[in-house]
Amino acid sequence: MRNIFRITIVLALLLSIGCSKELLDPVPQTSLYDQTVFDTKDRVVAQVNGMYDALKASAYLGGRYFVYNDIRADNFIPKSSNGVTNYQTWNHTVISSTNEVQNCWGAIYNAINTVNIFTTGLDAAWNGDKLTNIITQVEYEQFKSEALTIRALCYFHLLQLYARPYADGAGSRPGVPLRLQAELTVANGDLARSTVGEVYTQILADLNIAEPLAISTYTTPLLNTSRIHKNTIIAIKSKIYLHMGNWAAVKTETAKIVSSTAPFKASSGVAFALSTTYAGIWASPYTSVESVFSLPMTTTDNPGSQNSLPYYYFNTTSESYYLNTAVGSAYAAMDAADVRKSGLILATARYYISKYIDAVTHTNSTPVMRYAEVLLNRSEALVRDAGIVTQESVDLLNAVRTRSFPTGGYSLAGFATPSDFFNAILLERNIEFLGEGMRNMDLMRLNITIPGKNGGSMGNIAAIPITSASYIWPIPTSELTFNKLMTPNE
């Protein structure tokens, strides 16, 4: 953790300063931080960009985080047993010192501290009247909303790998340390774990503060998909409440942005809607109206080989993951008439997803959240909250399903029980978000056993019940070593 703080401090300062005279005539770090990083709008904006850049770390949302959550479940098989490309995650043999366990934790806390450094400095400068004629109040509030939302996402993502699901003990199980202050030294490295419930409370506090501060829309599709605005925050809140099993709150949040009838477009703010075609979601320039939040990649700004989504999921790479076709997998459940199946790539008798195909320059955007998820969140919550299947819930499910499988729509009468509906919606989520890091999260939020898998030459992997220590990742050795108040996962 000490190393993480040092790296964060250096990166935050470099991102804020840019190429300027101060680099040639440096002053002490604390003085530099206090006096110069908020003295122009360019430097303030550079820090905002720095927060997004921290999300794009290769061990985090640059690519690997999605892969971790996908390959822990049952839809993918590796072509190699190379530990560098997450074989231990796939076969559930990670330990506290495994690279991905340590690197992911470090990257997420680096992003958190980047946010904390920025918000502390921003508030101090604003409250001290040092930003007059540099940024407006609207800009101050927008930057603050982006920062708080990024921090909320970071803590949510930490919980998905390193803590028990909210449903396991109603949030009473050990969570992660809540680091909420800017760390410019290593003095505060010791911090005990908050409970899962306490972390979720903080996540929602950040998002509830952020929502009224955020702007409604940007001026370009690229900014509307890659920068946080009001509807982004509302969509993310629906995801948080879904993982907490707070169905009434999911309904409340989704009602803010989902129209009551088909085609279920967002009624205000950024006009989220389902892309008219499934392929359109993944087409360059990756600014579909369906993208709630994505991270753009360029030829000069991407996580590179062995980190990017194209590397892991496209067949031209030597160590990528191909689809498990066994009974019970998403592949086996798809109908041949479903374009999500017919659009798969077949090579050397193996199937690969075609969402991320730029394995040369790695410019595919990473999809943090799509509007299809918002619709399915609402559909599921309507039934779980009321205990009955409604026409609206079926219509929302069909909106996503029939886009890719026009003849596969469900009828209200076709669901004899709510359980039948839950099975259908979890299946749809599994198919729709294949390769987007959703499967393992859905299993865990509902306390469902992680299925076993037959990996052929890569080995047969047993199912992981919720009672197993392997159901979640261990706490990293680096954290246990440097944080004296940290406790391991059992």
Side-chain angles (χ1 to χ4, degrees):
M1 185 57 68
R2 287 174 169 81
N3 288 335
I4 293 167
F5 288 158
R6 291 190 185 102
I7 293 169
T8 304
I9 294 164
V10 171
L11 287 176
L13 292 172
L14 288 176
L15 287 167
S16 304
I17 298 164
C19 296
S20 63
K21 181 178 182 296
E22 285 82 356
L23 286 177
L24 303 177
D25 184 20
V27 292
Q29 281 190 359
T30 53
S31 175
L32 182 65
Y33 175 77
D34 291 339
Q35 295 180 16
T36 69
V37 297
F38 291 96
D39 64 358
T40 70
K41 183 174 180 177
D42 285 346
R43 292 187 177 185
V44 177
V45 172
Q47 292 181 83
V48 176
N49 291 336
M51 294 188 296
Y52 286 95
D53 198 56
L55 290 180
K56 292 170 67 174
S58 60
Y60 187 23
L61 298 185
R64 286 199 181 220
Y65 185 83
F66 301 94
V67 177
Y68 301 148
N69 282 284
D70 269 328
I71 66 175
R72 294 191 82 233
D74 55 338
N75 286 321
F76 292 94
I77 297 174
K79 291 165 67 177
S80 166
S81 59
N82 187 352
V84 174
T85 50
N86 313 319
Y87 179 67
Q88 283 77 20
T89 291
W90 179 78
N91 68 7
H92 302 291
T93 59
V94 295
I95 58 176
S96 291
S97 60
T98 303
N99 282 339
E100 53 257 45
V101 172
Q102 300 202 98
N103 294 343
C104 184
W105 179 278
I108 298 178
Y109 271 110
N110 174 67
I112 289 169
N113 200 40
T114 300
V115 169
N116 291 344
I117 288 172
F118 172 67
T119 54
T120 298
L122 180 70
D123 287 342
W126 182 262
N127 295 331
D129 294 325
K130 295 179 180 179
L131 291 175
T132 303
N133 298 323
I134 294 176
I135 62 173
T136 66
Q137 181 168 345
V138 170
E139 289 171 326
Y140 161 72
E141 291 178 349
Q142 173 59 19
F143 296 157
K144 184 73 174 286
S145 74
E146 290 175 88
L148 293 175
T149 303
I150 288 171
R151 186 169 71 181
L153 267 176
C154 288
Y155 276 115
F156 172 73
H157 287 150
L158 277 170
L159 290 178
Q160 305 317 301
L161 287 174
Y162 298 97
R164 292 280 170 176
Y166 188 91
D168 182 3
S172 63
R173 302 295 294 271
V176 297
L178 271 174
R179 299 190 179 277
L180 304 175
Q181 66 183 45
E183 300 294 356
L184 295 173
T185 73
V186 297
N188 298 313
D190 297 333
L191 183 65
R193 303 174 74 164
S194 296
T195 66
V196 168
E198 288 167 342
V199 178
Y200 271 111
T201 296
Q202 181 61 49
I203 290 169
L204 290 169
D206 280 348
L207 294 173
N208 286 330
I209 293 171
E211 183 183 343
L213 297 178
I215 62 174
S216 295
T217 185
Y218 290 98
T219 57
T220 69
L222 177 61
L223 291 175
N224 282 334
T225 56
S226 63
R227 291 281 295 271
I228 291 162
H229 49 77
K230 194 178 298 291
N231 281 1
T232 320
I233 297 167
I234 294 168
I236 291 171
K237 286 170 68 177
S238 80
K239 186 185 191 84
I240 303 304
Y241 282 123
L242 188 84
H243 278 256
M244 297 177 71
N246 188 336
W247 316 118
V250 176
K251 289 166 54 180
T252 298
E253 296 301 327
T254 53
K256 296 177 184 178
I257 57 175
V258 178
S259 60
S260 58
T261 57
F264 304 113
K265 294 182 178 180
S267 53
S268 63
V270 173
F272 290 147
L274 290 178
S275 171
T276 54
T277 65
Y278 188 69
I281 303 167
W282 315 107
S284 179
Y286 313 110
T287 53
S288 162
V289 291
E290 187 164 331
S291 176
V292 170
F293 182 43
S294 58
L295 296 172
M297 302 293 170
T298 69
T299 55
T300 58
D301 181 20
N302 65 72
S305 63
Q306 293 190 321
N307 296 308
S308 72
L309 293 175
Y311 179 89
Y312 281 96
Y313 294 126
F314 191 53
N315 67 288
T316 58
T317 55
S318 61
E319 295 174 312
S320 59
Y321 284 73
Y322 62 94
L323 285 173
N324 179 10
T325 59
V327 174
S329 67
Y331 174 89
M334 285 188 277
D335 190 276
D338 192 325
V339 300
R340 294 170 297 189
K341 188 168 192 174
S342 61
L344 296 173
I345 297 167
L346 177 62
T348 59
R350 291 168 173 170
Y351 287 95
Y352 301 83
I353 62 173
S354 56
K355 294 179 178 180
Y356 324 107
I357 61 172
D358 185 7
V360 177
T361 59
H362 312 284
T363 57
N364 293 103
S365 292
T366 57
V368 180
M369 190 171 186
R370 292 198 278 121
Y371 194 57
E373 181 183 351
V374 179
L375 299 189
L376 294 180
N377 289 351
R378 179 167 180 80
S379 177
E380 181 177 345
L382 287 171
V383 180
R384 291 195 185 274
D385 188 52
I388 57 172
V389 184
T390 65
Q391 187 62 55
E392 182 184 0
S393 62
V394 175
D395 290 344
L396 287 162
L397 171 57
N398 281 338
V400 177
R401 181 171 177 80
T402 59
R403 171 180 58 186
S404 301
F405 184 18
T407 60
Y410 295 107
S411 67
L412 179 60
F415 294 109
T417 67
S419 292
D420 293 337
F421 181 84
F422 299 144
N423 290 336
I425 203 161
L426 287 176
L427 172 62
E428 197 61 31
R429 290 172 69 95
N430 191 16
I431 295 171
E432 177 70 18
F433 303 114
L434 193 62
E436 297 178 60
M438 189 80 72
R439 173 64 167 162
N440 196 69
M441 292 187 193
D442 273 345
L443 294 172
M444 292 182 66
R445 71 178 170 87
L446 296 169
N447 280 346
I448 297 174
T449 293
I450 300 173
K453 47 209 172 188
N454 183 346
S457 63
M458 294 297 107
N460 293 334
I461 310 303
I464 306 295
I466 189 170
T467 53
S468 170
S470 297
Y471 198 70
I472 57 175
W473 270 4
I475 299 299
T477 298
S478 53
E479 182 71 18
L480 294 169
T481 299
F482 292 111
N483 181 355
K484 298 181 180 62
L485 297 179
M486 191 65 189
T487 55
N489 285 331
E490 298 177 351

